Amino acid sequence: MYDVLIVDDEPVARQSLRYLIDWEELGFTVKGEAQDGQQALELLRSHRYSLVLTDIRMPVVNGLEMAAAMQEFTDTPVVILSGYDDFAYAREGLRLGVKEYLLKPVDEEDLIALLKKLAAGMREQQLLDKRQRLGLSAGRDQLLRRWVHGQISARELEEQVRLLGLQTGEERYACLLMELDFIADGEMQDRDTDLLRFAIRNIAEEIIAGHGYVFEESEERIGILLGGPSAEMGQEQCRQWAEKLQSSAIQYAKTTVTIGIGASVGSAAEIKQSWSQAEEALDGKFLSGAGTVLLTHGKAKSESGESNTLQALEDEVLEMVRSCRRTETMRALGRLWECYRMEQVPESRAKISVLELLIQLFRLMKEQGASHDRLFDPALGDYERIMRIKTMEELLRYTESKCGDVVDAMLRTKEVRPNKIVAEVKRIVQEQYSGSISLREVAATIYMNPNYLGKLFKANTDQSFNDYVLQVRMEKAKELLLHTDKKVYEIAQEIGFSELDWFYKRFKAYTGVSTGDYRNAR
């Protein structure tokens, strides 16, 4: 988390900023508050903050004076909060190294967009700093990432490879994608996580030295590009590399990693294919659990010499599910099982096929926006259940049930049209506006992902969820001001505002007049 310091001489303004958004969801936490620049400077000297949000006009030391003084001892980015009348000051702040400025009152979406932008820059800078401290080449990592993702032309690749001293021209290549299981636990301190992550990278570089390259794909994932003669790049050899990496992580770093393996390819231009397969294989972690080595279904078939008919039938099952055709899905499964019987496919091979089908179904539901928590929760123990199945008939019944559930879930998603979802959200807001209401709570009520719901709501209403909540509250406030004799503070509390000053500001921003003027106009 990035620590934030809020500086404003108005307590209400500081509180409104603190509770305006879900800071932690964006990777930030409000760690301190100051009522003027002098107090803020003292806090900055005693604690490392990642970001400062400050008003301009404050007693003792104003925001610009504070920003100027900060340059002497810290590079913490500063965001200026200013009213329209302070715009000239805000421009002066930009000359003092201030990162950005926001107009007051701060709009929720503007603040979220700015924080996302700043967080992305901070993460990139952190990675660069860490690589420099450890003597790693940021340029090499960037090149390898672009290479495996297919984002670099052959000409540029040739130039960059020569510049960075990398070797190409191997007979075969293969990608491994290693996920650091301990990061998902969230139990370690950031410093401990960093140390362990780089320890595992160092272990990987020692093991892979001379046979490929290691690079950081993200905070949680490390990519490995292997290269060598055809005889050394088969499925079994790649599995051995992955198992050695896995056992070394346990032995030396005392933690587990999960590794997805892509098929070997015959040229540098085809590496993207191997990388995509490694990513797909790693998706199987939800099913197999942490600390496993995972292969892609496509790779297993291409190297096992199995018939094209079998592969086509397996693909057909997935396509029927994708099309939400339940009857055709069951018929396709029947044809697949008949092919298993005719070709005498071993039970173990059929189980692997089912496991990989579940991974594809999991990916499909994510793509379609369907809720998959109830069908693909690790607590369900699908992997163990499949492994315990004793007969092919029982395996078929299980697969039919899972495919049918996925079809039903996707059909339900398609039946719930956006206008119905928006109408339900509006109904909930209109019933609950007087209390504490959030997009996350509403999404949980209707079993939807909050991010997806927020985007859907805005796409169909041209306003954010929070803007709609404010609209409902303000319209109710207008009604109460015109048709009742209730005190303003009573109205504020009735429509969900605990801070009267904040209600005054929001009402004037919404209507253009004060509550008193609005009531007197009736």
Side-chain angles (χ1 to χ4, degrees):
M1 289 289 176
Y2 299 114
D3 290 354
V4 178
L5 174 63
I6 296 176
V7 189
D8 199 304
D9 59 324
E10 296 184 20
V12 172
R14 297 198 301 270
Q15 289 298 305
S16 66
L17 269 178
R18 179 184 282 271
Y19 298 112
L20 180 63
I21 61 171
D22 186 343
W23 289 88
E24 293 193 357
E25 184 177 359
L26 298 169
F28 294 85
T29 180
V30 178
K31 203 71 173 182
E33 295 182 12
Q35 61 186 10
D36 57 59
Q38 182 60 48
Q39 186 181 17
L41 289 170
E42 294 172 0
L43 290 172
L44 286 162
R45 287 188 174 96
S46 61
H47 181 81
R48 172 64 180 174
Y49 289 92
S50 299
L51 177 64
V52 174
L53 294 178
T54 181
D55 192 13
I56 291 182
R57 298 188 181 187
M58 296 180 294
V60 187
V61 173
N62 66 35
L64 295 183
E65 293 169 338
M66 179 196 71
M70 285 175 58
Q71 291 183 331
E72 299 177 3
F73 66 92
T74 180
D75 59 355
T76 300
V78 177
V79 173
I80 289 287
L81 309 176
S82 68
Y84 286 103
D85 295 338
D86 296 327
F87 183 69
Y89 292 103
R91 287 191 298 180
E92 174 64 22
L94 296 178
R95 286 195 289 271
L96 289 172
V98 171
K99 281 286 186 182
E100 299 279 354
Y101 74 90
L102 290 174
L103 290 175
K104 298 178 70 175
V106 176
D107 180 78
E108 175 190 4
E109 292 189 359
D110 290 343
L111 180 57
I112 289 175
L114 176 58
L115 291 175
K116 287 181 177 179
K117 174 183 173 182
L118 292 174
M122 291 175 185
R123 285 193 295 269
E124 185 64 27
Q125 187 59 50
Q126 281 182 332
L127 291 177
L128 289 172
D129 292 344
K130 289 169 185 174
R131 292 184 186 116
Q132 290 170 359
R133 288 198 301 268
L134 295 173
L136 303 175
S137 169
R140 191 187 71 171
D141 272 24
Q142 183 181 37
L143 172 64
L144 289 166
R145 281 197 299 272
R146 293 177 63 200
W147 190 0
V148 301
H149 284 281
Q151 298 171 348
I152 189 169
S153 67
R155 181 176 178 180
E156 184 184 358
L157 176 62
E158 183 180 351
E159 293 174 353
Q160 292 294 321
V161 162
R162 185 170 60 252
L163 181 65
L164 295 171
L166 302 181
Q167 300 295 321
T168 58
E170 302 289 358
E171 290 184 21
R172 308 278 306 172
Y173 295 92
C175 293
L176 309 183
L177 182 55
M178 179 164 58
E179 186 161 270
L180 313 180
D181 298 327
F182 60 87
I183 290 184
D185 297 338
E187 298 177 355
M188 292 187 178
Q189 297 295 322
D190 288 343
R191 179 176 177 276
D192 296 332
T193 297
D194 290 343
L195 291 174
L196 195 51
R197 180 171 61 247
F198 284 103
I200 291 177
R201 173 166 179 160
N202 290 337
I203 291 170
E205 287 180 330
E206 289 182 8
I207 293 173
I208 301 300
H211 300 277
Y213 301 104
V214 178
F215 61 96
E216 190 168 284
E217 164 69 4
S218 67
E219 291 283 325
E220 303 85 16
R221 292 183 168 186
I222 292 174
I224 298 166
L225 175 59
L226 295 172
S230 298
E232 298 177 6
M233 297 297 297
Q235 173 182 329
E236 187 56 35
Q237 287 78 10
C238 290
R239 186 202 296 269
Q240 289 173 7
W241 281 113
E243 290 176 346
K244 187 173 183 180
L245 288 165
Q246 188 181 66
S247 61
S248 296
I250 295 173
Q251 181 178 356
Y252 299 112
K254 311 303 180 188
T255 189
T256 64
V257 295
T258 303
I259 303 175
I261 303 176
S264 66
V265 294
S267 70
E270 296 176 300
I271 286 174
K272 179 183 177 182
Q273 177 184 340
S274 179
W275 179 259
S276 297
Q277 291 175 343
E279 289 183 309
E280 181 179 331
L282 195 55
D283 276 337
K285 178 180 175 179
F286 86 93
L287 191 62
S288 64
T292 51
V293 172
L294 303 164
L295 302 169
T296 60
H297 184 39
K299 182 174 81 59
K301 289 183 292 189
S302 65
E303 296 188 359
S304 65
E306 290 170 357
S307 71
N308 292 331
T309 302
L310 188 58
Q311 179 176 345
L313 287 172
E314 291 172 339
D315 292 342
E316 182 187 8
V317 172
L318 184 62
E319 185 56 36
M320 292 302 101
V321 175
R322 185 188 299 276
S323 303
C324 295
R325 298 156 68 181
R326 175 183 261 277
T327 301
E328 286 81 354
T329 297
M330 300 305 147
R331 288 173 179 169
L333 282 171
R335 288 191 292 271
L336 175 60
W337 250 253
E338 179 63 19
C339 187
Y340 283 163
R341 186 184 67 80
M342 294 293 293
E343 298 200 9
Q344 297 183 335
V345 171
E347 181 182 309
S348 59
R349 168 62 180 83
K351 288 182 177 179
I352 291 174
S353 177
V354 171
L355 288 171
E356 289 165 342
L357 173 63
L358 293 191
I359 294 171
Q360 295 295 336
L361 294 176
F362 174 74
R363 291 166 65 90
L364 177 60
M365 291 189 72
K366 287 201 301 182
E367 291 171 3
Q368 300 296 323
S371 176
H372 51 71
D373 292 344
R374 298 183 180 183
L375 289 178
F376 296 108
D377 189 325
L380 297 175
D382 287 316
Y383 180 84
E384 291 79 5
R385 182 176 176 183
I386 291 172
M387 291 298 102
R388 287 198 302 267
I389 288 177
K390 300 299 183 183
T391 67
M392 290 289 281
E393 182 66 21
E394 184 183 354
L395 186 63
L396 173 60
R397 299 284 85 82
Y398 169 84
T399 309
E400 288 177 335
S401 174
K402 208 71 172 182
C403 287
D405 289 343
V406 170
V407 170
D408 292 343
M410 292 178 63
L411 283 173
R412 285 195 298 270
T413 300
K414 290 185 176 182
E415 289 171 358
V416 181
R417 296 301 172 197
N419 60 330
K420 292 184 178 180
I421 296 173
V422 170
E424 180 64 10
V425 171
K426 287 184 174 182
R427 183 192 67 77
I428 294 172
V429 171
Q430 289 163 5
E431 290 181 355
Q432 301 180 16
Y433 68 87
S434 61
S436 175
I437 186 170
S438 69
L439 179 61
R440 187 177 298 277
E441 292 169 344
V442 173
T445 301
I446 59 178
Y447 303 102
M448 291 190 70
N449 178 279
N451 292 331
Y452 177 80
L453 179 59
K455 292 177 182 177
L456 180 69
F457 188 88
K458 186 165 187 177
N460 286 270
T461 63
D462 291 326
Q463 64 180 155
S464 70
F465 171 80
N466 286 330
D467 283 344
Y468 179 71
V469 174
L470 178 66
Q471 174 186 316
V472 171
R473 287 172 168 169
M474 291 297 104
E475 292 300 322
K476 184 63 177 179
K478 288 163 62 177
E479 178 185 334
L480 293 172
L481 285 168
L482 290 178
H483 302 297
T484 74
D485 293 324
K486 292 182 177 180
K487 303 293 185 183
V488 175
Y489 75 85
E490 293 176 321
I491 293 174
Q493 291 179 346
E494 185 172 331
I495 66 169
F497 281 84
S498 58
E499 296 286 347
L500 183 58
D501 287 347
W502 184 237
F503 168 68
Y504 279 133
K505 289 183 178 180
R506 298 301 276 178
F507 187 86
K508 187 169 184 179
Y510 183 81
T511 63
V513 297
S514 67
T515 55
D517 290 342
Y518 189 85
R519 171 167 267 174
N520 292 334
R522 61 182 175 179

